[in-house]
Structures are given as structure tokens and as C-alpha cells.
Amino acid sequence: MSSTVQDIIANTDQTQIVGSALAFLAIPVAYYYLSCSKRSRPPRQRRLSFTSVGLGIGSFPPESNVKEPIINVAVYFDDDPPTADAVAELVVRPLLAYTRLSEVPDLTNRTTRPSRHGGVRPLDLVRELTIKGDDTLTNKTIVEHCQDTLGAGRDDLPWWEVLVISNAGPGSSAAVIRIHHVIGDGLALVAAFEKFLTDVNGASIQSPISFKSSASGVGGGNGKTKKTKGILSTIWSLLEATGHVLTLGATKYDDDTVFSKMNHAKMKHSGKREAVIFPTVPLDFIKKLKTAAKVSVNDLLMTAVSEAIHNYCLAQEDPMLAERGSSIQCRALLPVGFPRSAEGLNSPVTAMRNIWCMVSCDLGVGHVDIEDRLRHVHSKTQEMKEKPRAYMQLKVQNNFGPYVPTSVGQKTVFDTFSRHSLVLTNVPGPSVVCMFAGKPAKSVQLFFDNLLTQVDLLSYAGQVYGNMIFDADQLPDSNIFGRLYAGALVELANRLSIAVPPEVQKAATA
């Protein structure tokens, strides 16, 4: 607490203060403890949450020109992609067992309903394209179709599809599972994908995510307090977290670096997006780095992204970097998903849900020394784990959001996003090569076109894949980001005396 608060307490009746605090926070504190201790309940049909409805209506004001929030999971193949029939039978049909994947969102009534066509044919949700070129063309085609509509006006089909891209040239072919975010979040989709993915021997895939004890996203925790706290400590933590949540959309805009200059009160989605594909990095190398540094994998990857942004600003001779130095504010919004019960995930009625929120984290972009940067990032992620900010963010948006006019809610989301520099997510995927519709998937990427620049990292079969989607008009010389990202990992390895894989060393000097 600040000295001012301490002075007030010193000169005020203690019983009166405690009594007032308890009266003010009795309901949320009781709700908090009940939420932490409640037993699992049998799966039951749920209405769409406020978060889900907001994603369906649109989280941003119409004038910001942000399109539908669509999760695009791209699976790449060495040779021809699977046929449309194979995708329909081996991928789409198993997913149609889930209510939200087989029905159409009814946002007005906060539920889903059957399509007016009756039963949905699996082939109705498969679309095919043919291209001829290299891997660059494959990824460019994927990005170009990231915003193809999945919502209303699509002949009353469920809001998802599989886009099969056959490359007749030397580049890879791909299949892209495109799912509107109204259907569910990353944890829900990971659980659903396990229903049709197998290893090359046909064995089921074991998820790397613990759905009960941890959360997805870079945050690495769900924001609930891990240690038992006294009532006064809990009151203070919840009060601080609530204040943080309610004022985040009114905080200072990130500093106007060359990386963040497009983020301001009147920013709009230009409709023009490009992607930089990061060099593939062995996961074992990342784990050696995190062990030597005594931090998490998330900390390492966030530090590499922060270092890449710093060095990009240096390469662009950014005056803001020279002026502000280590005090530069450059924050990322990190999606944090919350645990859910095994019963809920195994039920086709309740498995698809949106139980997640965004949390803010400063990346320490202004630091010159990469070890200082790593320490800064680690301290921020530890703070995220220890404070209930994510928990209160979720409660505020789902319990107070429904009573706020849609335009006000959209403006609040816009105010929060426009004050940040990027969205950054890291998702752990299967540790072995998987079969997708009868074909081995050689690699994967996660693409999400957002209002802000978005960095998506995903591990699969012992490798870490990543990309950055951004406004094509705003980041000159953006092609160097991949090299800068690899260079950051090489610099960390040199500091920690860890051998650098040849492919990473090569990528850092390309």
C-alpha cells in the first residue's frame, strides 16, 4: 500500500475500516471462495456466455473495420493433401458430434439451433483451392483467406469449415481448420481435435495441456491465487485486481515506436494483412534454455519476441527507443484460458466454451541487455500468476458485461486493445507427428487476424512454429523479424552456454 493509505489507516478506527471493506466486498469474496471450492457438476446444456455472444456480434466498434474473430489452424503436408471426402469423413464428421460445431449460433437467444437444412452434410463444410507455387505462396493464400466469412449469410451452415489447399508447385499443400471464435476457445478446440487425431501408428494423442490444473496462453496460469490467503489479504488482492481490470482501457497508450505507431485512438483494421513465418526451432533447445535460465518456456519465447521488437526498432533507427530507453512501454495482450472439468470436456453439449480473457503484460522492449529483458519478462509473468487479475477480468466481463450497452462494451474492448502493441499467444501441441485425414502432418501454424499485430507460437512434434500477422502498410522491412527472433534465441544460448542447433544459427544470420 502507498504511504497515503498507510497514514489514513494509522489515524482511523481499525474496526470501521475492516467492517467497511467486508461489507463492500462480501459478495465477490464469497463468490471467489465458492468458485475455487465447488465440486464438479454433471454436464448440462449451457447458454452462450457473454464472451461468446460478444465474439459472435463483434468485439470491436463497426468503424474499426475488424472482421470476424476466426481461429485458423493450418496443417501442412509433404505431398498431396487429403481428399475432400477423406477430410469430410475423418475430420468433419467426428467434430459434428459437438453441439456448437453442428448447429448455428442464435446470438439473440444466447444459444445454438439446428440449421434450417436439417442435418449438415460433412462435405458442406469442406472447401477446396488449387494453387501453384512455393511455400511462400501457400502461406500467402492462407493469410488471404483468414477473413473469409464464417458467420451469417453463409447459407445457414455452422460457423466453421476446413479449407483444403492443393499446391501443384514445389510448395507444401495444406488443410486449414477455420473456426469462428463464438464456438469455443483454444482449450475446447484442443480437446475436440483429440477426437480425430492419432499418431502414425493409429494410437490416440495425449494432450500436453492439463485441463484441470493449468491454463492455456502465454500467461501460464489462470490468475487464481495458488496459496491460501487470509480474508484481508484476499480482499486487498481482489480489490487491486478489480481496479486494474476496470481501468486498463484508460491507461497510457504504448509508446509510439516504429512497431507500435499504428496503435492509437482512431486506429482501424486496414483490411491488408501480411505474415512473417518465424524460423522453426527445436523444442528441446528451448527447454534447455529455460532450464539453464530457471524460467518457463513462455518466458523464453516472450523474451525472444521482445528482443526481436527491440532490434527491429534499432534497425529502423527509432528515435523513441533512443529517447525512452529501458522505460519504453510496449505491452502485449495475452490470452489466458481457464481450466474445466473432464466431464464438461467429454460432453458434446458442454465441451465447446469460451472461458478465457486477455491480460496485459509489459515486454521490457527498452532493455538493452537480453538477460535484463528475460528477468523483466519473468517478473511480469510471475506477477500474472500470483495476482487474480485474469480471474477478475473473466468475472467482470461475464457478470457485468451483459448489463452494458453493446456499443459501450465494444468501445471498452477497443480502448484496451488500441493501448497495446500486440497480441501474443503460445499453445503447446502434440509431441508426435499426427495423422490428419489419413495423411501425416509435417508441420503446423496458428493464424489469427486481429486489430493489433498478432504473434502466434505453437509447438508440434518436437518443434516450435510461429508467425506474426500485421498491417501490411505499417511495418517496413518486416521480413527481418524471423532473423531477429532466431538471433534472440542464439544470444540467449550464448549467454547461458547452451549449444545452438545449426538450423537456428543459420536462421539468425540469413
Side-chain angles (χ1 to χ4, degrees):
M1 286 186 284
S2 67
S3 59
T4 302
V5 175
Q6 291 173 340
D7 291 341
I8 293 173
I9 290 177
N11 293 283
T12 308
D13 182 79
Q14 301 292 304
T15 304
Q16 181 181 356
I17 292 175
V18 174
S20 299
L22 288 173
F24 182 71
L25 287 171
I27 294 176
V29 169
Y31 187 86
Y32 174 78
Y33 277 111
L34 287 172
S35 298
C36 292
S37 61
K38 67 181 179 181
R39 296 179 180 178
S40 298
R41 298 172 180 173
R44 59 185 176 85
Q45 187 164 359
R46 299 177 182 272
R47 300 180 71 196
L48 296 177
S49 67
F50 174 77
T51 300
S52 295
V53 172
L55 289 164
I57 294 174
S59 301
F60 298 95
E63 58 269 22
S64 65
N65 199 37
V66 179
K67 307 303 180 184
E68 298 173 8
I70 297 173
I71 301 168
N72 300 272
V73 182
V75 180
Y76 300 84
F77 307 95
D78 271 327
D79 50 15
D80 294 335
T83 65
D85 287 336
V87 171
E89 289 303 312
L90 300 177
V91 176
V92 176
R93 189 176 294 282
L95 292 179
L96 286 174
Y98 292 87
T99 301
R100 288 199 190 180
L101 288 164
S102 62
E103 296 188 344
V104 179
D106 179 354
L107 302 177
T108 302
N109 296 308
R110 291 183 57 182
T111 186
T112 60
R113 59 168 177 78
S115 166
R116 61 180 173 80
H117 299 297
V120 176
R121 297 186 311 125
L123 270 174
D124 291 339
L125 299 177
V126 180
R127 189 158 55 105
E128 295 181 282
L129 292 174
T130 299
I131 62 173
K132 186 175 183 179
D134 57 11
D135 286 343
T136 299
L137 179 61
T138 300
N139 288 314
K140 181 180 179 182
T141 303
I142 292 171
V143 173
E144 287 175 348
H145 289 275
C146 275
Q147 282 299 336
D148 290 356
T149 185
L150 291 176
R154 199 165 148 265
D155 199 26
D156 210 46
L157 290 171
W159 290 15
W160 69 285
E161 69 173 2
V162 181
L163 176 63
V164 180
I165 302 173
S166 179
N167 194 335
S172 301
S173 295
V176 188
I177 305 179
R178 308 183 61 247
I179 298 183
H180 197 296
H181 218 321
V182 68
I183 292 174
D185 59 18
L187 279 178
L189 296 178
V190 167
F193 290 173
E194 291 177 0
K195 302 301 181 184
F196 67 84
L197 291 177
T198 67
D199 65 17
V200 294
N201 297 315
S204 298
I205 298 298
Q206 181 67 39
S207 173
I209 299 176
S210 173
F211 294 100
K212 290 185 177 181
S213 61
S214 64
S216 69
V218 180
N222 61 17
K224 290 187 179 180
T225 308
K226 299 299 182 182
K227 297 180 181 179
T228 302
K229 290 187 175 183
I231 186 68
L232 293 181
S233 179
T234 298
I235 289 173
W236 179 254
S237 295
L238 292 175
L239 185 59
E240 186 276 337
T242 303
H244 173 84
V245 169
L246 294 177
T247 60
L248 186 59
T251 54
K252 172 183 174 290
Y253 285 90
D254 277 5
D255 286 316
D256 196 18
T257 65
V258 293
F259 184 82
S260 309
K261 64 183 179 181
M262 70 292 293
N263 301 1
H264 49 73
K266 295 183 179 181
M267 72 180 299
K268 292 184 178 181
H269 191 294
S270 68
K272 295 180 287 185
R273 284 297 188 263
E274 291 182 0
V276 170
I277 306 300
F278 290 173
T280 303
V281 178
L283 180 59
D284 182 61
F285 170 56
I286 299 296
K287 289 182 175 180
K288 288 178 181 178
L289 292 177
K290 73 102 176 176
T291 300
K294 298 180 180 179
V295 296
S296 69
V297 168
N298 287 331
D299 293 341
L300 257 300
L301 295 175
M302 289 173 65
T303 299
V305 172
S306 173
E307 178 82 356
I309 296 172
H310 174 90
N311 290 337
Y312 175 78
C313 292
L314 279 179
Q316 297 297 315
E317 299 180 348
D318 188 350
M320 183 61 69
L321 185 64
E323 176 187 335
R324 299 275 293 162
S326 61
S327 63
I328 273 184
Q329 179 174 290
C330 180
R331 296 171 297 174
L333 285 171
L334 314 177
V336 176
F338 287 72
R340 53 218 67 186
S341 69
E343 293 85 354
L345 285 170
N346 288 326
S347 167
V349 177
T350 62
M352 293 296 108
R353 300 182 65 188
N354 279 295
I355 319 177
W356 66 281
C357 65
M358 291 286 192
V359 294
S360 176
C361 181
D362 186 87
L363 295 179
V365 165
H367 287 285
V368 175
D369 186 84
I370 196 168
E371 291 186 82
D372 290 340
R373 187 184 323 284
L374 178 59
R375 282 188 287 268
H376 175 93
V377 169
H378 178 66
S379 69
K380 292 298 181 181
T381 57
Q382 287 299 112
E383 183 180 72
M384 289 167 52
K385 295 173 184 178
E386 294 166 1
K387 294 186 176 182
R389 290 177 177 175
Y391 176 83
M392 291 309 299
Q393 175 66 54
L394 185 71
K395 294 306 175 186
V396 167
Q397 71 189 36
N398 275 338
N399 293 293
F400 293 96
Y403 302 100
V404 175
T406 298
S407 60
V408 175
Q410 291 173 331
K411 183 64 164 58
T412 300
V413 173
F414 176 85
D415 287 344
T416 299
F417 271 65
S418 62
R419 283 165 163 78
H420 289 74
S421 297
L422 71 156
V423 174
L424 198 163
T425 183
N426 172 38
V427 180
S431 60
V432 298
V433 173
C434 296
M435 300 298 289
F436 184 96
K439 294 272 188 172
K442 72 168 183 176
S443 60
V444 296
Q445 288 284 350
L446 173 64
F447 294 97
F448 195 96
D449 183 1
N450 217 323
L451 174 66
L452 302 181
T453 296
Q454 174 132 349
V455 173
D456 289 309
L457 304 171
L458 173 65
S459 63
Y460 168 73
Q463 304 290 326
V464 178
Y465 300 91
N467 66 79
M468 181 177 74
I469 295 186
F470 54 94
D471 189 323
D473 293 334
Q474 294 296 338
L475 296 180
D477 302 322
S478 56
N479 58 302
I480 69 172
F481 263 99
R483 171 169 58 82
L484 297 177
Y485 168 77
L489 294 172
V490 170
E491 176 65 17
L492 279 170
N494 291 337
R495 295 291 188 93
L496 298 169
S497 300
I498 299 296
V500 179
E503 64 269 32
V504 179
Q505 186 72 61
K506 181 180 179 180
T509 57

